[in-house]
C-alpha cells in the first residue's frame, strides 16, 4: 500500500460553532461543509488546507467515540487519515502485517468516502484512518 497524501486530520472539539470561528477568523480558512454522521454520533465541519482537510468532530452523544475520547483526553487531535486508492485492500494488507484493525472492511464515512480505522495500540498511539473512494 502507499498513501497518496494526508486526507485529513480529525480534531475532537467540544463546540463545533466556536471551533469553526477559530479556524475561520484566526486561521482564515473557510468551512465548506457541515455534516452529521449518525453512525459515528458526530457532527463534522470541514476545512481545506492544500490537499488536506481539517475535520472538526463534535460528539452528538456522550457515549459516542468522540464523547468518550474528550472525557478521557480532552479536546485535541483525534486521528490522522491517509488517502488510499483502495481502502479494502489497504486494510487487508495492514491486517496481514499484524496490525490490529478496528474495521476489517471499510464502512461509510463523511463525504461518501469509504473509511477504515487501525487500532492505536498497533499504530504507536495514533488512531489511524484509511480513506478513499473504494
Ligand atoms: Zn476521519
Amino acid at each position: 500500500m502507499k498513501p497518496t497524501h494526508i486526507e485529513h486530520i480529525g480534531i475532537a472539539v467540544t463546540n463545533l460553532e466556536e471551533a469553526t470561528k477559530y479556524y475561520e477568523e484566526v486561521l482564515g480558512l473557510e468551512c465548506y461543509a457541515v455534516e452529521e454522521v449518525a453512525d459515528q454520533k458526530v457532527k463534522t465541519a470541514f476545512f481545506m488546507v492544500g490537499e488536506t482537510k481539517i475535520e472538526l468532530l463534535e460528539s452528538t452523544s456522550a457515549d459516542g467515540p468522540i464523547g468518550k475520547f474528550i472525557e478521557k483526553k480532552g479536546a485535541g487531535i483525534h486521528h490522522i487519515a491517509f488517502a488510499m486508492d483502495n481502502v479494502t485492500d489497504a486494510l487487508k494488507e495492514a491486517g496481514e502485517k499484524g496490525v490490529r484493525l478496528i474495521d476489517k472492511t471499510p464502512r461509510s464515512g463523511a463525504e461518501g468516502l469509504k473509511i477504515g480505522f487501525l487500532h492505536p495500540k498497533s499504530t504507536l498511539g495514533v488512531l489511524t484512518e484509511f480513506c478513499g473512494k473504494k
Side-chain angles (χ1 to χ4, degrees):
M1 75 177 90
K2 193 164 193 290
T4 53
H5 59 281
I6 306 276
E7 214 281 337
H8 64 268
I9 297 168
I11 299 174
V13 302
T14 49
N15 183 313
L16 202 63
E17 250 174 71
E18 278 174 25
T20 295
K21 251 189 212 165
Y22 163 74
Y23 282 90
E24 289 191 329
E25 289 172 15
V26 179
L27 294 182
L29 299 172
E30 191 194 337
C31 175
Y32 69 89
V34 174
E35 189 180 337
E36 190 164 336
V37 184
D39 196 40
Q40 304 239 57
K41 298 180 178 170
V42 287
K43 216 163 98 183
T44 60
F46 289 95
F47 304 81
M48 206 78 214
V49 190
E51 255 197 296
T52 303
K53 297 160 191 159
I54 299 287
E55 176 187 52
L56 302 182
L57 303 148
E58 181 196 88
S59 191
T60 54
S61 158
D63 69 348
I66 295 300
K68 285 187 198 153
F69 176 87
I70 287 178
E71 194 187 296
K72 240 169 63 183
K73 297 189 173 172
I77 292 181
H78 177 257
H79 66 274
I80 183 160
F82 293 99
M84 291 290 182
D85 287 334
N86 189 318
V87 178
T88 308
D89 290 351
L91 286 172
K92 192 166 165 250
E93 192 181 328
E96 284 164 2
K97 287 179 173 165
V99 172
R100 192 167 141 198
L101 304 175
I102 294 173
D103 300 297
K104 289 204 169 80
T105 53
R107 53 183 149 118
S108 306
E111 304 192 302
L113 292 171
K114 299 270 179 225
I115 62 165
F117 283 94
L118 313 186
H119 199 285
K121 285 232 160 83
S122 284
T123 56
L124 307 159
V126 179
L127 177 60
T128 299
E129 176 182 351
F130 292 163
C131 195
K133 288 191 176 126
K134 350 178 216 189

